[in-house]
Amino acid sequence: MASIRELHEQLIKKERSAVEITQEALDRIQALEPKLHSFLYVTTQQALEQARAVDAKIAAGEEIGILAGIPIGIKDNMCTKGIPTTCASEILKNFVPPYESTVTQKLVDSGAVMVGKTNLDEFAMGGSTENSAYHTTANPWDLSRVPGGSSGGSAAAVAADECVVAIGSDTGGSIRQPASFCGVVGMKPTYGLVSRYGLVAFASSLDQIGPFGRSVEDSAILLNAIAGHDPKDSTSLKVPIPNYAASLKPDLRARGRLRIGVIKETFGEGLDSVVEQTVTTAIDQLQSLGAEIHIISCPRFRYGVPSYYIIAPSEASANLARYDGVKYGYRAPGTDNLLSMYTRTRATGFGTEVKRRIMIGTYALSAGYYDAYYLKAQKVRTLIKQDFEKAFEQVDVLACPTVPTTAFKAGEKNTDPLSMYLLDLMTIPVNLAGLPGLSVPCGFDDNGLPIGLQLIGKVLREDQLFQVAYAYEQSTTWHLRQPQIS
Ligand code: GLN
């Protein structure tokens, strides 16, 4: 499918209707889903209705917004009124939200056409989308491999052209990591830029919603549509939102001096050599485009994974206490008292990884261990933040690989959760510090699997990240390659 801007042009020139564009996405979904499984729920009827509404506006001579009539996928941990929202969990199997999340409401208002709810690791816990209670999603570049996670359905759907753009959520890397594995652009905004109202909470101090696109421009347009203050989210920031897409320029020099810091601790041991080479070449390319390259040290970066895997499960254990079989969602049948109803519901409704996190989190928060684990992890979080603050005194943007490897085979890491957790090494510190981070395609390995370059920005400098990523993208051809799905 074409880009948002191209489709918008076609719509306003009446070369194509929104219904035709939507039907093209739905046809592709129907053809590819038996192989890919990117979606948990396809909203065929609603999508066509939304598209017809856009066509009616065009026919009436009304102006339409840039996203009107554009097919979009929504990660299934965002509440959509009247449409099932399962978080890929058994425990929310029958849950149909009575309200709309702020992000999806904004998208509805913009005229975007939701084609379906995309697959994820249960409650966004994981890095491969294999933790979904319903099905696993395949990587469009190699169907035997994972798309990454937890927003693997959104990333795969965009890479495979089942929709033009998609929405994901990122607690420790869940937008950037699958973007890297699937060869698309993925952005985690500054904490508080996008409202979390209606996003099913995993770890509230880390969760952030963000866009996926096949290009930097598409992602920038989508972020503009979902960013902004929301009184329904007490952590939502009250700040002006720049027009990200309008400020994109292929010439990096046009915006003045730009200093990019390469985080030295992200190179070396544990990093696949092909990822190292590819990312190094991408950084050389940024230099040739006019950026000054500096080597920067973030010595506490490597403590991100251990502190995150205390903080995130702790918050999750509190957030997931609400699933008890009483208020909504699944209730285990055949129990004869309240306590066994609670325990049976939670024992059978949650999957292994979710239960593991609830147990770790409950342990870390318990009276005797709170100081040793949770409090210490929070202190480490502050140190990591300070590393970034120091780095940003010297440079404008930081660069490193998004993930140390390319996509792995399905099933390869299922029995070893720690090896899965380690893949988050380079994305987690960004969430701990609340900063914006973006993954942009920067090459392929010998098996034809995509590799991502991660750019990390100062608080609320999404504009800078998009600008750097755009200049890079426009000087390369990686984003033009498409997976051949057979
Ligand atoms: N892979 C990380 C985890 O399992 C990150 C998940 C996320 O960002 N939602 O916690």
Side-chain angles (χ1 to χ4, degrees):
M1 265 187 201
S3 69
I4 294 179
R5 203 165 288 285
E6 287 161 351
L7 291 169
H8 181 67
E9 286 292 310
Q10 293 170 6
L11 283 169
I12 53 178
K13 286 186 187 149
K14 301 194 179 153
E15 291 166 6
R16 284 177 88 191
S17 69
V19 168
E20 279 164 12
I21 294 170
T22 301
Q23 195 58 55
E24 186 188 334
L26 292 170
D27 289 347
R28 193 139 170 101
I29 289 172
Q30 204 179 10
L32 293 181
E33 275 307 279
K35 288 176 185 160
L36 279 183
H37 308 291
S38 318
F39 287 88
L40 285 169
Y41 190 80
V42 181
T43 43
T44 309
Q45 291 319 318
Q46 291 96 329
L48 288 169
E49 255 166 54
Q50 280 176 307
R52 276 194 286 272
V54 172
D55 284 338
K57 266 190 163 183
I58 297 170
E62 283 177 47
E63 222 177 279
I64 55 159
I66 183 86
L67 273 178
I70 304 297
I72 183 169
I74 305 288
K75 186 176 182 180
D76 200 26
N77 60 350
M78 277 158 241
C79 288
T80 40
K81 190 175 176 181
I83 294 167
T85 300
T86 66
C87 287
S89 180
E90 276 290 325
I91 214 154
L92 284 176
K93 194 176 193 158
N94 306 316
F95 179 54
V96 180
Y99 70 105
E100 193 76 42
S101 76
T102 295
V103 160
T104 49
Q105 186 60 54
K106 276 175 177 260
L107 291 168
V108 170
D109 295 344
S110 75
V113 172
M114 182 177 84
V115 288
K117 305 291 295 283
T118 57
N119 199 16
L120 64 151
D121 286 299
E122 185 178 1
F123 285 103
M125 298 177 191
S128 67
T129 311
E130 291 167 295
N131 293 339
S132 168
Y134 301 104
H135 50 235
T136 58
T137 298
N139 188 313
W141 296 89
D142 176 345
L143 299 177
S144 69
R145 293 175 189 267
V146 302
S150 64
S151 316
S154 288
V158 170
D161 220 8
E162 294 182 304
C163 47
V164 177
V165 281
I167 294 285
S169 67
D170 189 313
T171 306
S174 279
I175 293 175
R176 291 158 288 157
Q177 190 254 35
S180 178
F181 279 10
C182 291
V184 296
V185 177
M187 138 84 68
K188 180 207 93 77
T190 302
Y191 184 76
L193 184 74
V194 179
S195 169
R196 291 181 295 111
Y197 177 76
L199 166 71
V200 178
F202 162 13
S204 311
S205 77
L206 300 158
D207 298 341
Q208 222 0 238
I209 297 174
F212 282 100
R214 276 189 298 279
S215 69
V216 174
E217 189 190 38
D218 282 358
S219 314
I221 292 173
L222 187 52
L223 182 60
N224 262 120
I226 59 172
H229 179 251
D230 179 11
K232 291 179 187 153
D233 172 359
S234 62
T235 60
S236 160
L237 298 172
K238 231 181 207 157
V239 289
I241 309 294
N243 187 333
Y244 303 115
S247 67
L248 300 177
K249 292 188 190 73
D251 182 4
L252 209 50
R253 291 183 179 90
R255 53 168 309 287
R257 186 178 181 209
L258 175 77
R259 297 161 304 170
I260 295 181
V262 178
I263 306 175
K264 82 168 184 226
E265 286 80 5
T266 60
F267 288 85
E269 209 194 325
L271 181 64
D272 270 10
S273 61
V274 60
V275 175
E276 175 160 4
Q277 279 162 20
T278 308
V279 170
T280 305
T281 307
I283 290 165
D284 290 345
Q285 175 74 3
L286 285 168
Q287 187 170 29
S288 71
L289 291 171
E292 280 173 32
I293 305 296
H294 299 257
I295 305 298
I296 291 291
S297 174
C298 289
R300 271 83 60 111
F301 208 80
R302 65 194 174 101
Y303 300 118
V305 168
S307 57
Y308 170 92
Y309 278 97
I310 296 290
I311 295 168
S314 296
E315 293 186 18
S317 71
N319 276 326
L320 272 60
R322 71 190 70 170
Y323 305 104
D324 54 9
V326 177
K327 300 177 207 73
Y328 46 77
Y330 167 80
R331 174 184 293 186
T335 53
D336 55 9
N337 64 58
L338 188 63
L339 188 62
S340 73
M341 193 275 285
Y342 285 157
T343 53
R344 283 275 301 284
T345 295
R346 289 170 66 83
T348 52
F350 289 133
T352 310
E353 184 60 27
V354 173
K355 282 190 272 196
R356 181 182 292 124
R357 306 241 181 157
I358 292 173
M359 284 196 278
I360 292 172
T362 310
Y363 181 84
L365 289 179
S366 57
Y369 298 105
Y370 179 89
D371 290 357
Y373 294 109
Y374 186 71
L375 198 62
K376 186 162 281 170
Q378 289 290 17
K379 287 180 180 167
V380 173
R381 180 177 190 172
T382 303
L383 294 176
I384 291 170
K385 221 172 148 190
Q386 288 169 353
D387 271 8
F388 278 120
E389 280 161 10
K390 243 180 98 195
F392 283 127
E393 285 170 10
Q394 303 164 59
V395 296
D396 306 298
V397 169
L398 291 167
C400 64
T402 307
V403 196
T405 68
T406 50
F408 51 90
K409 293 259 184 204
E412 197 180 304
K413 295 188 191 289
N414 274 352
T415 49
D416 183 5
L418 278 185
S419 72
M420 190 91 88
Y421 297 172
L422 282 172
L423 290 181
D424 306 333
L425 205 70
M426 294 161 187
T427 47
I428 276 176
V430 181
N431 299 73
L432 289 171
L435 301 173
L438 174 151
S439 181
V440 60
C442 72
F444 290 83
D445 73 3
D446 300 338
N447 295 320
L449 299 169
I451 296 170
L453 166 72
Q454 182 176 215
L455 299 168
I456 304 166
K458 295 179 185 173
V459 166
L460 292 172
R461 291 313 303 268
E462 283 76 8
D463 58 334
Q464 255 182 352
L465 291 189
F466 281 131
Q467 286 163 7
V468 176
Y470 183 73
Y472 173 77
E473 173 192 77
Q474 294 301 306
S475 71
T476 60
T477 55
W478 310 120
H479 62 293
L480 302 176
R481 280 205 211 174
Q482 286 191 357
Q484 301 306 319
I485 302 157
S486 51

